Amino acid sequence: MSAAYHSQTVVTLAASSTSEHRPLIISLFAVFVAATLGITVWAGRQTKSASDFYAGGRQFTAFQNGLAVSGDYMSAASFLGIAGAIALFGYDGFLYSIGFLVAWLVALLLVAEPLRNSGRYTMGDVLAYRMRQRPVRTAAGVSTIVVSIFYLLAQMAGAGVLVSLLLGITSDAGKILIVALVGVLMIVYVTIGGMKGTTWVQMVKAVLLIAGAILMTFMVLWKFDFNVSDLLGTAAEKSGHGASFLEPGLKYGATGTSKLDFLSLGIALVLGTAGLPHILIRFYTVPTAKAARKSVNWAIGIIGAFYLMTIALGFGAAALIGPAEIKAKNPAGNAAAPQLAEYLGGVGSTGGAVMLAVISAVAFATILAVVAGLTLASSSSFAHDIYANVIRKGKATEKEEMRAARWATVFIGAAAIVLGAFARDMNVAGLVALAFAVAASANLPTLLYSLFWKRFTTQGALWSIYGGLASSVILVLFSPVVSGNAKTSMFKGVDFAWFPLENPGLISIPLGFLLGWVGSLLSKEEPDKGKYAELEVKSLTGIGAH
């Protein structure tokens, strides 16, 4: 869902922003880019060690990290996409907000504190503690890079479409140039600023996004004299569905397949979040496990408040604009929030243009922050897990490791630019579905087994990671996301889909857990119970943590 919203969000922006308003939008973009580059250069001067580059020197407070985690997690899909889903499908659209928020309870209760205590910089650190280093680190590195690349590709394609439409660029060469410029900006952020620069950019972006949501929420409620019942009643009346607009079943109740699809998507969102690499590495940026737990508490509070505001944004768009006009601009409803912003500011007025420009700048800030976090996660995993511990067998110096991370950033960024250029006109929903499915199918089972099951072995870890990775990739490849649906598939006009669901989580996530269990039971390797006992003490108490 996430990338589809990125790739189509701003059709309305381009249509309604006349050439006279473009200088305003370009100026806002230029101010933001200059400010974030300044932050990155400042942070880069303080990035001297591997700990600084990977974990920001573990100097961020729980609140700062919570704000940065929020910035990493609340994408433009949350701001623009969920508002559109609520505007068109009412209650069923709001279920996305619930799924995204509930996911943090899994991260808080099962992952945040043990992960901070057990590792140094990456997920591979935790897995390698009690298993054979080279195969496990290689698997963890491959999984991290695959998740990050696909998520990154979706962001790059979305950024290209967003900026191209806002600047009025229609030629293919111009769109490719925009994708390349966004990619170069991303590479600069990570290579110069490392985790410190990325974290500060994410914090700035989170503040901008929350401020934009608060402003729009206040303006919507003001239109209805702060009477939520009036807002919901008007939205239901104007939706054309009456009371059913405020009840479950409008989108996910028509067929048995749609119900299974929602269940599959929900499982992937809720469990995938705790396995997303760019979220996991954020737990290493705080000095203690207690701070990691507190930062998740802060993130839950900030994200929870934001998703509550999506009620006002979504139902406000339905009430003030109406589903018919929203669909006329974009059938998927992705332009609902920009349309609402323009309506609140005054359609055709300077105020409306300013509101549109602000929302555009926030969306662009969102993409830059998420892109930087993803690039850092994948380059860190390559440098720390694959280069330092597999290729160099633990003999690489910190300086060599950081150099490898920076070169990895350049290569991963270049790959994202090339793939993003090819994907600029694609429906990239499948890429994000794949990222969540891989994270939930491969990373999470392996992490939980490693932390909490003493019988877990190297073979179980490899079966879980590679099995979850392969099953999720194959099922998405042969799903309606890639082919078979003339309107929304990545490749239109062909049909090789045999898997009926759009998200493979219902199959691939249980399979990932099952393979980890079976692989361990069938393994001839005797688990190192002493190492498990050490890991258990370390993960639960923080004794010996870095």
Side-chain angles (χ1 to χ4, degrees), residues 55-384:
R58 309 192 201 281
Q59 295 170 351
F60 290 100
T61 66
F63 172 72
Q64 287 175 326
N65 193 49
L67 197 58
V69 168
S70 304
D72 228 356
Y73 193 68
M74 295 183 302
S75 66
S78 299
F79 192 28
L80 304 169
I82 292 177
I86 294 173
L88 296 184
F89 302 109
Y91 181 94
D92 278 12
F94 183 57
L95 290 174
Y96 281 107
S97 292
I98 297 170
F100 280 130
L101 181 58
V102 169
W104 278 104
L105 295 178
V106 179
L108 173 65
L109 298 174
L110 297 177
V111 173
E113 192 170 349
L115 192 73
R116 171 61 188 83
N117 284 336
S118 307
R120 291 186 70 196
Y121 306 128
T122 66
M123 180 181 74
D125 288 335
V126 179
L127 304 183
Y129 191 82
R130 49 180 288 229
M131 296 172 196
R132 296 202 307 277
Q133 286 237 359
R134 296 183 72 186
V136 167
R137 282 193 184 275
T138 302
V142 168
S143 178
T144 296
I145 291 169
V146 168
V147 176
S148 298
I149 283 280
F150 277 97
Y151 213 127
L152 186 61
L153 172 56
Q155 307 301 318
M156 292 291 289
V161 171
L162 173 68
V163 180
S164 298
L165 287 173
L166 288 170
L167 301 186
I169 294 171
T170 55
S171 69
D172 284 344
K175 290 178 181 177
I176 292 170
L177 180 62
I178 291 296
V179 170
L181 288 174
V182 172
V184 168
L185 200 59
M186 162 192 80
I187 292 168
V188 169
Y189 280 174
V190 177
T191 52
I192 294 178
M195 178 56 86
K196 282 188 177 179
T198 300
T199 299
W200 281 106
V201 169
Q202 286 162 344
M203 288 163 61
V204 169
K205 170 256 165 165
V207 170
L208 283 174
L209 190 59
I210 290 290
I214 289 173
L215 175 64
M216 289 179 67
T217 298
F218 178 83
M219 293 175 78
V220 166
L221 292 176
W222 182 66
K223 292 276 186 186
F224 293 91
D225 296 323
F226 297 92
N227 188 322
V228 177
S229 285
D230 278 357
L231 167 61
L232 297 178
T234 307
E237 183 183 340
K238 204 164 180 179
S239 71
H241 298 288
S244 63
F245 189 68
L246 305 178
E247 298 170 356
L250 200 58
K251 180 175 174 63
Y252 294 106
T255 65
T257 302
S258 69
K259 291 177 182 178
L260 286 175
D261 225 341
F262 178 70
L263 181 61
S264 192
L265 176 66
I267 291 171
L269 291 178
V270 170
L271 297 180
T273 299
L276 289 173
H278 65 298
I279 298 296
L280 293 176
I281 63 171
R282 294 237 54 90
F283 298 138
Y284 295 124
T285 64
V286 289
T288 65
K290 185 179 180 182
R293 189 174 65 250
K294 279 187 176 180
S295 67
V296 177
N297 286 333
W298 275 112
I300 289 174
I302 295 167
I303 293 167
F306 171 78
Y307 283 135
L308 278 176
M309 287 188 279
T310 61
I311 300 175
L313 300 180
F315 286 110
L320 297 172
I321 300 168
E325 192 174 333
I326 291 170
K327 285 182 179 178
K329 297 293 185 184
N330 182 276
N334 299 321
Q339 282 178 276
L340 180 62
E342 186 179 30
Y343 179 92
L344 294 171
V347 177
S349 69
T350 303
V354 169
M355 286 291 287
L356 277 174
V358 168
I359 298 305
S360 306
V362 169
F364 190 65
T366 291
I367 290 171
L368 283 178
V370 174
V371 155
L374 287 163
T375 310
L376 186 64
S378 49
S379 62
S380 297
S381 187
F382 172 81
H384 185 65

Side-chain angles (χ1 to χ4, degrees), residues 393-409:
K393 301 178 183 177
K395 295 177 182 176
T397 64
E398 275 199 356
K399 193 173 180 181
E400 290 172 332
E401 201 172 317
M402 286 172 65
R403 190 186 305 128
R406 288 192 165 105
W407 277 111
T409 299

Side-chain angles (χ1 to χ4, degrees), residues 446-517:
T446 316
L447 264 179
L448 294 182
Y449 279 144
S450 186
L451 288 168
F452 302 112
W453 188 31
K454 64 182 175 184
R455 183 73 181 79
F456 196 46
T457 65
T458 302
Q459 179 173 294
L462 298 180
W463 282 29
S464 183
I465 292 176
Y466 289 128
L469 180 67
S471 62
S472 55
V473 169
I474 290 168
L475 291 179
V476 168
L477 183 62
F478 292 103
S479 77
V481 168
V482 175
S483 73
N485 189 320
K487 291 183 179 179
T488 60
S489 291
M490 191 179 297
F491 298 108
K492 298 173 178 63
V494 294
D495 185 1
F496 48 85
W498 51 260
F499 183 65
L501 305 182
E502 292 189 1
N503 193 287
L506 197 61
I507 305 297
S508 61
I509 296 171
L511 186 62
F513 278 98
L514 179 64
L515 287 171
W517 179 66

